Amino acid sequence: PSSFGNALWWLGWEAQEGKDAHTKPTLLIPVEVPTWISFVIITMVLGTYWVSFKIAPLAFVDEADKSKMGGFEGAVDVARKGGFPLYITAAIPCFLLMILAEIILMLIYKLPSAGGKYVLADAWSSLTAGVVQQLVSTLVLKPALINTLPYELLHQAVSVKYGLALPIDNVSTWLAALVLCDVAYYWLHRFAHEINFLWAGHSVHHSSDHYNLSTALRQSWFQGVAAPLYYLPMALLFPTPVYMAMNQANIVSQFWIHTCLVRRLPAPVEWVLMTPSHHRVHHDRRVHKNFGGMFIIWDRMFGSFLDEEDAVSVIRGNLTKSGTQGEKVQEEVLLFGTRQNPTSWTEAVTQTMFWRPIVSALQKGASLRDIGKAALIGPGYSTAGSKRTLVVPSATSTRIRATSSLHWGGKIYVFAHFLIAVAIGFVVLIAKSGPWSLRSATALYLMYTLYCHGRLLDCNVSARVQELARCMVLVVFLLAVLYDPSKMFPLDIANVFDMPPIRFLCIFLSGVHVVSAGILCLSQGAFSETPAHKKSK
């Protein structure tokens, strides 16, 4: 297919969206990607690390004033004031640029594997999960001190009292904290696959049938509640700012491994670091292996390692036996996603669907044994530490199960509104001086907007009417705010709406949603199912 055809496939214009690109292949061969593409991706990764490392102390900090220095000196300066650099926030623009670059590289190269490609509905779902997770973390978990209070109490009670705290201005302290953050993450991640109530919170990250950089941002709303417990032992040595900063750095380091455009790296790198090859295995719906974040060595040490190359070697062996006979098709040796396929694009469904077995056991009045089994026995309970073989799927295996049958015009509408939502969400994240009530109300409205758009992607019969009502209510609200915000809000919030940039934003959003309401009224066909999907029913 041409690059233009690939672009239409991404938008869902063509009928084959969400289906394997090949109908009846006979021989599966390993996916091959030119070295220059891998080089471009890795260069962008290193650039992201550098930008985040340099910029965060200067522009994105928490619990302290910004530093006048970047890099390590800036991080130490912020930490001495009791704060820490927000490396994740600093990296978000780079993440979005890398996703755009990956899409462009895929269109140029025409990546053959179905699972590695982008489909608008799936990418929208992944990015939506990431936006909401960051809003929940910033506006709920942070004010509740879930990440810092238990850690700081333990640090003061033991580390400070007995003189165990490592020096905050020593680079080895920060590097050791980074490594130990990854050890803690390994066990958090492994237990999140072995224990079902933890899996219920983590599984949304695995729920996509696709595997690309947008998948990295497909995060759980709930995992952040339990995660801080696994890092508490670090409080015996490391000050809270060092732990918080290096935990963020560890998370940033995991973004790049969610790609099919980087294949096998040199052996020493593959032996020590978590790479795209190792993490692709982790996202296979049939196995639960390779739990490290930055390093793969913990999996090698604790018996949870499985190598993608084993399956690739089997394919090469099959090709040698079969010679050149039959049609050969490049495809991934893995089946991405979860065994339980999501039934909706709305985040309210995808974030809660894996809680259903536990809730169902409670509702049915099951025995304590059955309730315990539902809550504790996760999909990786018997597989994480046992010896597993990565079975090679056939070239005709169903790789893409979740599709959206919404007309391409409706998908463009959803995507355009999503870009606005991302921009507003980023402002909410960085506007720490703004009233918490206003930021929270804005976040709730963004979540409701994304919920409405998820129902559009589901082709729900009432979704268009619901979206029209949302647009009209917002326009009326914004016009009232522009007229006289002091009559609607307390003085501190009214003053925010009197700021020229905010007034301009209100005018812009009013115009956008008036136009959107017109589109919803006049273009009903754009918000219906595509003819191809209607025929298939």
Side-chain angles (χ1 to χ4, degrees):
S2 65
S3 295
F4 181 67
N6 277 331
L8 296 185
W9 187 86
W10 185 77
L11 286 171
W13 195 330
E14 297 180 340
Q16 75 265 27
E17 181 205 340
K19 297 181 181 178
D20 292 344
H22 316 286
T23 51
K24 292 184 179 180
T26 54
L27 288 175
L28 181 70
I29 63 175
V31 173
E32 296 178 357
V33 176
T35 304
W36 71 267
I37 290 183
S38 297
F39 179 78
V40 170
I41 293 288
I42 293 173
T43 300
M44 289 190 296
V45 169
L46 296 175
T48 297
Y49 291 167
W50 185 87
V51 169
S52 179
F53 178 66
K54 287 289 187 181
I55 296 298
L58 293 166
F60 305 101
V61 301
D62 202 13
E63 303 295 345
D65 294 330
K66 298 170 186 175
S67 176
K68 295 181 179 179
M69 300 175 286
F72 178 68
E73 293 82 4
V76 171
D77 182 43
V78 172
R80 281 176 176 156
K81 301 172 186 175
F84 54 91
L86 296 173
Y87 292 118
I88 295 175
T89 306
I92 287 175
C94 296
F95 289 165
L96 297 178
L97 287 174
M98 284 186 64
I99 289 172
L100 177 61
E102 187 182 40
I103 293 171
I104 293 171
L105 289 170
M106 284 183 178
L107 293 176
I108 293 173
Y109 173 61
K110 302 169 189 169
L111 182 74
S113 65
K117 289 180 178 177
Y118 278 83
V119 172
L120 189 142
D122 178 82
W124 175 90
S125 179
S126 294
L127 294 171
T128 295
V131 168
V132 176
Q133 185 266 343
Q134 282 296 300
L135 292 173
V136 170
S137 177
T138 301
L139 298 172
V140 179
L141 300 184
K142 179 184 175 297
L145 302 177
I146 288 177
N147 284 321
T148 55
L149 183 59
Y151 189 99
E152 180 64 18
L153 290 175
L154 181 59
H155 181 70
Q156 292 294 331
V158 179
S159 183
V160 173
K161 183 177 179 179
Y162 295 103
L164 302 176
L166 295 176
I168 207 168
D169 57 351
N170 193 321
V171 67
S172 62
T173 299
W174 293 71
L175 291 177
L178 182 63
V179 173
L180 290 179
C181 273
D182 203 60
V183 176
Y185 177 82
Y186 169 83
W187 288 108
L188 161 65
H189 199 183
R190 178 166 174 168
F191 287 144
H193 283 253
E194 293 182 335
I195 301 173
N196 208 36
F197 72 85
L198 294 177
W199 170 249
H202 174 65
S203 53
V204 66
H205 178 64
H206 289 263
S207 60
S208 173
D209 290 342
H210 296 264
Y211 188 81
N212 49 54
L213 290 177
S214 73
T215 310
L217 305 183
R218 195 182 192 93
Q219 296 296 320
S220 167
W221 302 353
F222 306 106
Q223 186 169 314
V225 176
L229 295 174
Y230 291 83
Y231 298 92
L232 284 179
M234 292 179 60
L236 301 178
L237 296 174
F238 300 98
T240 304
V242 176
Y243 147 65
M244 290 296 293
M246 291 298 93
N247 189 27
Q248 291 222 354
N250 181 269
I251 293 171
V252 170
S253 75
Q254 298 175 37
F255 176 76
W256 78 284
I257 58 180
H258 296 83
T259 183
C260 291
L261 289 183
V262 177
R263 307 312 295 183
R264 202 71 174 178
L265 296 175
V269 177
E270 295 285 354
W271 207 93
V272 175
L273 296 180
M274 178 62 74
T275 64
S277 175
H278 297 324
H279 204 63
R280 282 193 292 268
V281 173
H282 177 70
H283 274 257
D284 189 295
R285 70 183 74 136
R286 302 163 299 165
V287 299
H288 295 267
K289 293 284 191 179
N290 298 3
F291 303 107
M294 181 179 286
F295 301 103
I296 195 65
I297 51 177
W298 321 125
D299 291 281
R300 297 182 186 276
M301 290 170 59
F302 300 119
S304 55
F305 175 69
L306 188 60
D307 199 341
E308 181 185 48
E309 192 64 18
D310 293 343
V312 173
S313 298
V314 171
I315 293 177
R316 292 194 179 107
N318 293 338
L319 289 173
T320 301
K321 292 177 185 177
S322 61
T324 58
Q325 297 178 357
E327 180 187 359
K328 294 181 176 63
V329 175
Q330 286 191 53
E331 190 51 88
E332 297 291 339
V333 299
L334 306 159
L335 300 175
F336 303 124
T338 53
R339 289 190 177 274
Q340 183 181 354
N341 196 39
T343 57
S344 171
W345 294 105
T346 60
E347 280 304 298
V349 173
T350 56
Q351 291 281 347
T352 58
M353 60 180 290
F354 291 94
W355 291 96
R356 291 174 190 169
I358 301 172
V359 174
S360 178
L362 292 171
Q363 288 177 336
K364 292 177 181 178
S367 65
L368 287 176
R369 183 177 182 274
D370 290 338
I371 292 173
K373 184 177 180 181
L376 298 177
I377 307 300
Y381 181 81
S382 60
T383 65
S386 61
K387 186 172 178 57
R388 302 278 286 177
T389 300
L390 193 59
V391 178
V392 179
S394 70
T396 56
S397 295
T398 302
R399 286 176 164 79
I400 309 302
R401 301 163 298 171
T403 64
S404 172
S405 55
L406 182 65
H407 190 274
W408 64 267
K411 290 179 179 176
I412 292 176
Y413 174 95
V414 168
F415 182 67
H417 274 269
F418 176 75
L419 294 178
I420 297 172
V422 168
I424 296 174
F426 190 70
V427 172
V428 171
L429 289 179
I430 64 176
K432 297 194 297 294
S433 59
W436 179 86
S437 57
L438 178 59
R439 296 171 70 205
S440 298
T442 304
L444 286 172
Y445 182 77
L446 288 177
M447 292 171 68
Y448 179 70
T449 298
L450 296 171
Y451 170 74
C452 291
H453 295 163
R455 297 185 80 236
L456 285 174
L457 290 171
D458 287 343
C459 293
N460 189 286
V461 291
S462 62
R464 187 174 66 89
V465 175
Q466 183 182 18
E467 173 65 5
L468 177 61
R470 183 193 71 83
C471 290
M472 296 308 298
V473 169
L474 181 63
V475 169
V476 172
F477 170 78
L478 291 175
L479 291 176
V481 167
L482 288 168
Y483 178 71
D484 191 353
S486 63
K487 291 183 177 180
M488 300 180 62
F489 301 106
L491 185 60
D492 60 335
I493 296 179
N495 288 338
V496 173
F497 285 104
D498 278 332
M499 297 169 61
I502 301 300
R503 291 187 69 81
F504 174 79
L505 178 62
C506 290
I507 295 171
F508 170 75
L509 291 176
S510 298
V512 166
H513 284 81
V514 167
V515 172
S516 298
I519 292 172
L520 288 161
C521 291
L522 300 175
S523 304
Q524 184 174 349
F527 299 93
S528 60
E529 291 183 292
T530 57
H533 281 87
K534 285 181 179 177
K535 271 186 197 177
S536 67
K537 290 182 177 180

